[in-house]
Amino acid sequence: MSTKKWMTGIVALFIVVIWAFTPAMGKEKPIKLGTLFVMSGKLGGYGKSGWQAVQLAIDEINESGGILGRKMVAFNEDEKAKPEIGVQIAKKYILKKKVDFLLGPTASSVGLAVSDVCRQYKKILIVTQSATDVLTGPQFHPYQFSVLSNALMQSRAGAHYLAPKPYKRWMCIGPDYSYGHSSWETFIAKLKELRPDVEVLGELWPKLMTPDFTPFINKILEANPDAIWSPLWGGDTVTFIKQALPFGLFDKVKFAFPVGASMEVLIPVGKDMPEGIYMSARYFFTTPEYGRNRRFVKAYYERFKEYPSYMAEESYAGVYFLKAAIERAGTTDTEAIIKAVEREPLAWETPEGWKVMRKEDHLAVEDVVWGETVYSEKYGFAILKNIESIQGELVVRTEEELKEIRASYEKRMKGR
Amino acid sequence: MGELSNIVIQVLNGITFAMFLYLIAAGLSIVFGVINIVNFAHGSLYMLGAFFAYGLVHKLNFTGNFFVTLIFAPLLVGLVGLAMEYVLLRRIYKAPHFLQLLMTYGVILVIQDVVKYVWGGLGEEFVKSVPPPPFLSKSVDILGHPFPSYYLFTIFCGFSLAFFIWWFIERSRWGSLIRAAASQKEMLNALGINVKMIYTLVFGLGALLGGLGGALAAPVRAAYPGMGVEVIVECFIVVVVGGLGSVQGALAAALIIGQLEVSGIMFLEEFSMVFIYLLMVVVLLYKPRGLFGKKVGEY
Amino acid sequence: MRPGRTRWHSIGKWVLIAVCAVILLVLPRFIGEYYTNLAVKIFIMALLACSFNLLLGYTGLLSFGQAAYFAVGAYACALLLKLVIPNVVLAILISVVISAAVALVFGYFCVRLTEIYFAMLTLAFGQIVYTIAFKWESLTGGDNGLAGIPSPPLNCGLFTLDLSNAFHYYYFALVLISVSIGVLYLIVNSPFGATLKSIRENPERASFMGQNVRVFQLISFGIAGTFSGLAGAIFAPFEKFVSPELTYWSKSAEIVLVSILGGIYTFIGPVVGSAVMILLEDYISTYTSYWSIFLGTVLIIFVIFMPDGIVGRTNQIFYKLRTQSPIKQ
């Protein structure tokens, strides 16, 4: 190549480099939100609803003037339930796209990994789908806020809901990983506290996404418990119910699915859903009946042609939490926001009602909804009847537990 | 519910599990035995079978006739298989196995996203459910213990298929052509028979069988994009344990694995994740070619 | 071999290496923290792929469970740093020894098999390691993995590297990995490497010529496992998080993919393949969640038109250009 060509090439490269590194000038920069969800595989439905809800929330916010006069813009990438990918995306968002906040992710293991990245780079993560209670517990740090009721709350709420009912002989069948195990452990510990006469007949742990539950179903039939606690979720619940139906299992044993009442389960099972199964959800679209929720459900349905599951609502609530937090602090600066939210409990309105973010563990204290399944002609899938709301305050960590959490956080920080 | 009925039920469970495995693995085994090609994408053909079944039932309202779906869905998958062979695979017959693996892995990825796009749009649930036909959705009483009649149907299908394959390959005229194509293709070519077309048809048959497995599994398992990838590793294990190229081997391996999984879950649940791999380790160490494997070259 | 061409050829190669070295040394200044981060990932993947390719490209063995040794190295390093000694060098050294041991044990069984059976057995061992990582919660953190792996500073005598700083880690990884790749290069170009190649071409003949094929395969397996473990040990304090996904077969498949993409019959192929894949994925996934169909199509086209890999193809092009040059030596 001739010298002239080399020179042109170098000059061009120079210009490109300068241009790429010049900060963007112009009007008010938008507030950037980086989201991570599982968009593929069996759990893909959760990511899909989450991202749809985020888009809805942001469009609504921008239409009504934005936050502190600035528009909000969001990015989404598929974390594929792999922590390595989640970390990569988080770093991309923070270092390359220079997002102001992160939201998501779906998988608990990714949640832990991404949360640590946020801590390192001092960016706030709004947790809307990962249910692990470890983030608001042993692995707590102030750069994250959980807007959803975590596994601990779900289990305790379940214990409160089921203790008055006449079931004494319990079993468990759940997915064989940390979420399943801790869901059961928390539940049975609380249940025993409220009802010391319960008896545990056994525990079954099929691996996550097992295609065939028949051997487990047989074991249940053999043991013949009164009731079963089942942290199975998503596609697993669908498969399990389909396979258990011909055995008439649901006539013989009462089931309680703490995360069963999600669209990803109710719609595929459709009218095959037996009546009277106890299911809970962080949010169910038919309740509360009043304004905010009704507007949300309507807007979501019109745009996405489906009803919002709790995964959608929590992500929606997450975006609105962010809005409330930024507005209270008056700035998007991370430390200022943390201080502002911790100053006194921050209450903000969401479709499921008012939620309160408390400072001790950065957890939103929200009620947990339990009900019984009943098929609805109107919707074409089962919905919940006899809905009971278990008070959030009853099921969150207590004062003593929180003190321990704070203490261990201080200790861990010193140790670095 | 005595001891005997428990054991009988357990054995039946194991056989059912085995049948699902066999239904998927049979196609892979035939393709490998005849064409000597490693088709990683076989699991995706299984997935297409399930999704076509879903599509036929829900979108085109084939409900009411489950058996029609059971015929059409695999046929569609068979067509996909023919296309796949004609356009892509015949170019790499002479390539080393790892290149075949790579290309068929590429096919998996493409099919996965296509399925996600077609069936994952607005308002679509990620996990699809196909209802079983009404007369097969109850259970039958066996020695006082309920057993789903759909599973009996599956066992019936599995064994019928095994018999059909045996008859087809060993006894029919087509079968002898196929066997000849597998071992003596130059001779066949010299005799003026279009071996290429035989390969294409065999691959189509393998795909059809994979699709059949998917369509049969759909009513009792959930269908979702990515189910092909999960099932392919198990499928390979069945085929390898049985011995590459041996369809009887695949059946034997499936039966052993099925029984092992079920018993393992009953007794040693902690490690159920790992049984199938431990079994493969043990079998391969004692029989390096699988149970009925043919020798490919020894040193 | 005409003397003029040989001299030019080897000078050309050294110039190229020198230029690359200079570029790599100054790169962080120009590309910012995110891409420096990505560069470290590429280095780690390159080492992993090169170690894998010792088995495939040079010994003719397709290992479908190489990620297991990577993960063993990563977990070992993570646990050592978290619980035992906050010294990165020691942690890496011990982790490498552990991975080597595991590789030799698994390899002993695997080399008794051939072709696809070998591959499936390596897969099985990989999945067994996955199960252990998944279930042994008290040690490995189970499916939640181990978070918060420390990156303590490294005292190098004249200066101290703050390993939690991405730029410092870049140089740390660059030095370690280039040396390792250099060592691998020496191995494949040694008499040992030549024997491996002959085994790859025709194992029967090699055994007739008196070579103990299995022993050579086992040693190759052990070396591959050692360097894979090293890649893992370098990964742990960088990512600060390890989880069982690191040993799942899909990670092993990734390693196979990038090596074949780059070209398994050249030494530098896997390195190029790693860089291309990681950069491509980073770029494309920003724009679409349909990365799979893109990659799938690329692979299909690739196998049909470029089965020798990127480097293989470029070599062919260069060869064509050279032989068409009017200036013949």
Side-chain angles (χ1 to χ4, degrees):
Chain A
M1 273 214 279
S2 67
T3 323
K4 230 197 311 185
K5 281 203 185 135
W6 273 106
M7 286 304 296
T8 342
I10 292 182
V11 171
L13 192 64
F14 195 65
I15 294 178
V16 167
V17 168
I18 295 289
W19 166 80
F21 281 96
T22 318
M25 284 173 285
K27 335 202 285 238
E28 279 287 6
K29 286 190 307 162
I31 301 179
K32 296 197 225 175
L33 179 66
T35 71
L36 304 89
F37 294 114
V38 175
M39 306 292 290
S40 49
K42 212 172 194 177
L43 313 177
Y46 291 102
K48 187 163 165 259
S49 352
W51 174 233
Q52 287 174 175
V54 167
Q55 289 174 299
L56 182 67
I58 288 189
D59 287 345
E60 283 177 2
I61 290 177
N62 286 342
E63 260 154 46
S64 57
I67 306 179
L68 300 179
R70 293 164 66 182
K71 286 208 187 296
M72 191 171 227
V73 74
F75 311 103
N76 178 45
E77 281 199 38
D78 185 357
E79 42 126 314
K80 302 194 173 104
K82 295 196 162 94
E84 208 189 330
I85 297 185
V87 167
Q88 190 65 33
I89 298 175
K91 288 189 182 164
K92 191 195 287 194
Y93 281 158
I94 295 175
L95 297 170
K96 196 169 147 197
K97 286 211 149 91
K98 309 254 187 279
V99 301
D100 301 291
F101 306 98
L102 287 91
L103 186 140
T106 313
S108 294
S109 55
V110 180
L112 287 173
V114 168
S115 159
D116 206 49
V117 173
C118 289
R119 184 191 54 78
Q120 280 173 52
Y121 289 96
K122 304 208 187 316
K123 288 284 177 199
I124 291 179
L125 173 71
I126 314 277
V127 181
T128 64
Q129 294 197 346
S130 294
T132 173
D133 42 69
V134 157
L135 269 181
T136 47
Q139 300 266 25
F140 170 80
H141 64 81
Y143 294 94
Q144 51 88 24
F145 291 95
S146 287
V147 300
L148 78 171
S149 54
N150 54 35
L152 180 103
M153 292 164 68
Q154 300 260 283
S155 293
R156 288 188 180 171
H160 281 279
Y161 177 70
L162 293 162
K165 305 210 191 300
Y167 309 114
K168 279 197 359 215
R169 301 164 65 247
W170 281 87
M171 264 182 103
C172 168
I173 178 168
D176 187 17
Y177 75 116
S178 51
Y179 164 72
H181 290 283
S182 57
S183 167
W184 164 247
E185 277 153 22
T186 315
F187 166 75
I188 199 66
K190 195 69 175 170
L191 187 67
K192 281 194 174 153
E193 211 185 283
L194 298 170
R195 240 199 110 130
D197 64 335
V198 301
E199 206 190 312
V200 172
L201 298 179
E203 305 171 16
L204 300 170
W205 301 108
K207 68 175 194 274
L208 194 58
M209 310 213 232
T210 298
D212 200 324
F213 287 99
T214 339
F216 299 99
I217 295 173
N218 278 304
K219 267 192 143 170
I220 296 176
L221 285 169
E222 227 183 307
N224 201 19
D226 295 331
I228 292 204
W229 175 259
S230 180
L232 290 173
W233 57 287
D236 276 352
T237 320
V238 175
T239 317
F240 179 79
I241 293 181
K242 288 176 65 126
Q243 291 176 356
L245 277 172
F247 285 95
L249 188 62
F250 300 106
D251 302 322
K252 304 195 174 75
V253 181
K254 264 305 195 194
F255 269 78
F257 290 98
V259 275
S262 79
M263 300 298 121
E264 288 80 10
V265 170
L266 298 172
I267 296 183
V269 178
K271 56 178 192 301
D272 290 333
M273 180 70 81
E275 202 173 309
I277 299 189
Y278 299 125
M279 283 205 180
S280 147
R282 304 192 171 95
Y283 157 84
F284 199 70
F285 75 98
T286 55
T287 178
E289 302 264 319
Y290 61 76
R292 188 80 176 86
N293 187 36
R294 213 144 8 111
R295 282 201 306 275
F296 168 62
V297 173
K298 183 156 174 288
Y300 190 90
Y301 188 80
E302 268 169 20
R303 185 162 164 177
F304 302 111
K305 308 279 173 281
E306 59 188 15
Y307 291 101
S309 67
Y310 62 81
M311 287 300 194
E313 195 270 343
E314 297 291 351
S315 300
Y316 183 86
V319 178
Y320 274 96
F321 163 73
L322 194 55
K323 173 170 188 282
I326 296 174
E327 279 170 354
R328 183 192 263 194
T331 161
T332 55
D333 173 66
T334 303
E335 306 292 341
I337 292 182
I338 297 179
K339 274 207 193 63
V341 174
E342 290 186 348
R343 207 174 57 212
E344 55 180 79
L346 176 64
W348 81 104
E349 201 188 1
T350 74
E352 56 183 305
W354 283 88
K355 295 214 228 201
V356 180
M357 176 67 69
R358 63 180 196 175
K359 72 168 195 275
E360 289 83 352
D361 49 5
H362 286 203
L363 177 67
V365 181
E366 67 172 19
D367 301 339
V368 178
V369 163
W370 276 92
E372 298 174 40
T373 52
V374 63
Y375 177 67
S376 153
E377 280 293 337
K378 170 172 174 218
Y379 292 109
F381 54 85
I383 58 172
L384 293 180
K385 65 177 181 191
N386 301 345
I387 293 184
E388 267 181 56
S389 234
I390 313 289
Q391 291 284 325
E393 287 74 10
L394 265 182
V395 297
V396 290
R397 287 192 170 89
T398 60
E399 278 291 327
E400 300 82 52
E401 292 173 319
L402 290 175
K403 277 208 193 73
E404 270 179 52
I405 289 173
R406 270 288 168 172
S408 99
Y409 172 67
E410 311 293 332
K411 209 168 67 170
R412 265 185 302 127
M413 289 302 111
K414 282 208 187 67
R416 278 170 205 272
Chain B
M1 259 198 273
E3 270 307 305
L4 179 65
S5 67
N6 274 342
I7 297 180
V8 168
I9 294 293
Q10 207 176 301
V11 168
L12 280 176
N13 272 335
I15 298 181
T16 315
F17 200 96
M19 284 303 118
F20 279 115
L21 282 176
Y22 176 69
L23 284 163
I24 315 169
L28 186 66
S29 200
I30 291 180
V31 163
F32 194 85
V34 176
I35 313 180
N36 197 11
I37 190 172
V38 175
N39 180 18
F40 217 21
H42 191 74
S44 300
L45 296 168
Y46 163 83
M47 171 171 82
L48 281 178
F51 272 90
F52 284 150
Y54 171 79
L56 286 172
V57 166
H58 278 255
K59 300 297 168 167
L60 304 182
N61 259 308
F62 268 46
T63 5
N65 214 330
F66 169 70
F67 291 103
V68 174
T69 317
L70 213 53
I71 296 176
F72 275 96
L75 275 177
L76 286 173
V77 180
L79 287 175
V80 171
L82 290 175
M84 206 167 112
E85 195 276 348
Y86 192 75
V87 174
L88 297 174
L89 293 176
R90 45 166 72 176
R91 299 168 194 256
I92 57 170
Y93 284 151
K94 297 208 172 63
H97 280 179
F98 66 83
L99 277 180
Q100 295 174 351
L101 222 63
L102 197 67
M103 182 196 254
T104 50
Y105 184 66
V107 172
I108 295 182
L109 293 174
V110 170
I111 294 182
Q112 191 164 295
D113 263 4
V114 166
V115 166
K116 190 167 133 184
Y117 183 74
V118 170
W119 279 286
L122 276 185
E124 290 273 351
E125 285 311 313
F126 239 68
V127 173
K128 309 286 186 215
S129 170
V130 175
F135 70 93
L136 280 181
S137 51
K138 290 290 181 285
S139 60
V140 157
D141 221 46
I142 297 190
L143 298 181
H145 199 109
F147 192 75
S149 43
Y150 195 84
Y151 287 178
L152 286 174
F153 175 65
T154 310
I155 295 181
F156 170 72
C157 285
F159 279 117
S160 316
L161 186 71
F163 179 75
F164 170 77
I165 291 178
W166 169 80
W167 174 85
F168 183 73
I169 298 214
E170 297 295 323
R171 290 292 146 103
S172 76
R173 187 155 178 275
W174 291 104
S176 55
L177 271 178
I178 291 177
R179 276 180 288 135
S183 50
Q184 301 281 5
K185 72 171 192 269
E186 295 84 7
M187 184 66 108
L188 266 193
N189 261 324
L191 289 173
I193 295 180
N194 190 345
V195 177
K196 275 197 181 157
M197 183 141 80
I198 295 185
Y199 277 10
T200 310
L201 290 172
V202 169
F203 191 83
L205 175 67
L208 188 145
L209 290 175
L212 179 67
L216 265 172
V220 281
R221 299 184 177 180
Y224 58 94
M227 66 193 276
V229 174
E230 280 170 24
V231 95
I232 191 66
V233 175
E234 280 189 354
C235 201
F236 262 85
I237 295 181
V238 169
V239 169
V240 164
V241 167
L244 286 162
S246 163
V247 185
Q248 326 97 280
L251 181 62
L255 285 168
I256 297 177
I257 292 177
Q259 205 52 60
L260 186 77
E261 281 277 340
V262 166
S263 318
I265 289 174
M266 294 300 274
F267 302 117
L268 271 178
E269 223 197 292
E270 272 299 297
F271 303 104
S272 58
M273 267 174 87
V274 97
F275 286 145
I276 198 173
Y277 300 105
L278 284 176
L279 175 75
M280 183 159 72
V281 171
V282 167
V283 169
L284 286 180
L285 289 180
Y286 282 105
K287 299 210 106 203
R289 302 255 168 237
L291 296 170
F292 292 88
K294 312 192 173 104
K295 290 210 185 308
V296 186
E298 187 74 34
Y299 55 85
Chain C
M1 240 318 181
R2 299 188 187 111
R5 183 176 259 185
T6 327
R7 203 176 62 215
W8 169 247
H9 197 192
S10 61
I11 289 182
K13 199 157 60 171
W14 284 112
V15 166
L16 196 63
I17 293 182
V19 167
C20 283
V22 170
I23 294 181
L24 287 175
L25 281 172
V26 300
L27 205 57
R29 271 180 198 290
F30 297 105
I31 56 177
E33 190 176 350
Y34 177 68
Y35 284 106
T36 304
N37 224 286
L38 208 61
V40 175
K41 286 208 128 177
I42 293 178
F43 295 159
I44 294 176
M45 191 60 169
L47 177 61
L48 191 51
C50 281
S51 66
F52 161 82
N53 201 34
L54 181 68
L55 282 170
L56 181 61
Y58 291 95
T59 321
L61 295 170
L62 173 61
S63 162
F64 222 91
Q66 202 61 19
Y69 314 107
F70 173 77
V72 166
Y75 267 96
C77 189
L79 286 167
L80 286 167
L81 282 175
K82 260 194 136 176
L83 305 172
V84 182
I85 23 110
N87 181 324
V88 171
V89 173
L90 264 182
I92 291 183
L93 270 170
I94 300 179
S95 312
V96 168
V97 169
I98 297 179
S99 330
V102 173
L104 284 171
V105 168
F106 285 165
Y108 175 74
F109 296 106
C110 292
V111 299
R112 293 160 165 225
L113 304 175
T114 59
E115 295 176 31
I116 196 163
Y117 298 99
F118 171 86
M120 292 301 285
L121 196 60
T122 57
L123 171 78
F125 280 130
Q127 289 301 105
I128 291 175
V129 173
Y130 174 77
T131 309
I132 296 176
F134 195 94
K135 309 260 342 181
W136 198 349
E137 260 185 77
S138 50
L139 181 70
T140 65
D143 54 286
N144 277 333
L146 295 168
I149 301 170
S151 325
L154 183 64
N155 196 331
C156 304
L158 292 172
F159 51 86
T160 311
L161 281 177
D162 171 20
L163 291 178
S164 58
N165 177 314
F167 296 100
H168 288 204
Y169 209 92
Y170 172 90
Y171 289 107
F172 175 66
L174 177 60
V175 167
L176 269 182
I177 291 178
S178 9
V179 167
S180 310
I181 292 186
V183 169
L184 275 172
Y185 183 75
L186 289 173
I187 292 178
V188 301
N189 284 321
S190 70
F192 174 73
T195 314
L196 290 181
K197 286 183 227 178
S198 75
I199 293 177
R200 174 193 78 200
E201 291 307 315
N202 195 334
E204 254 175 8
R205 182 186 299 166
S207 73
F208 288 162
M209 301 227 289
Q211 303 289 9
N212 190 337
V213 170
R214 279 198 191 160
V215 169
F216 275 90
Q217 287 176 333
L218 179 59
I219 298 180
S220 177
F221 201 94
I223 297 178
T226 310
F227 282 101
S228 298
L230 175 60
I234 298 179
F235 175 84
F238 165 70
E239 183 89 344
K240 297 167 107 40
F241 184 85
V242 291
S243 72
E245 266 80 34
L246 293 178
T247 146
Y248 201 63
W249 65 263
S250 50
K251 179 89 184 162
S252 295
E254 224 182 287
I255 304 172
V256 178
L257 205 79
V258 305
S259 304
I260 299 181
L261 219 59
I264 59 166
Y265 292 122
T266 64
F267 183 78
I268 203 84
V271 175
V272 171
S274 309
V276 168
M277 264 293 276
I278 291 182
L279 287 170
L280 208 61
E281 206 216 328
D282 183 69
Y283 184 72
I284 302 275
S285 58
T286 316
Y287 294 104
T288 171
S289 66
Y290 287 104
W291 156 249
S292 291
I293 195 172
F294 175 80
L295 179 62
T297 322
V298 164
L299 289 179
I300 294 174
I301 294 179
F302 182 83
V303 170
I304 300 179
F305 296 110
M306 280 209 294
D308 282 328
I310 296 175
V311 179
R313 192 84 176 104
T314 6
N315 275 345
Q316 280 174 11
I317 296 177
F318 280 153
Y319 182 72
K320 278 218 188 91
L321 289 176
R322 273 212 298 270
T323 50
Q324 282 166 9
S325 152
I327 303 170
K328 289 220 167 38
Q329 311 248 227

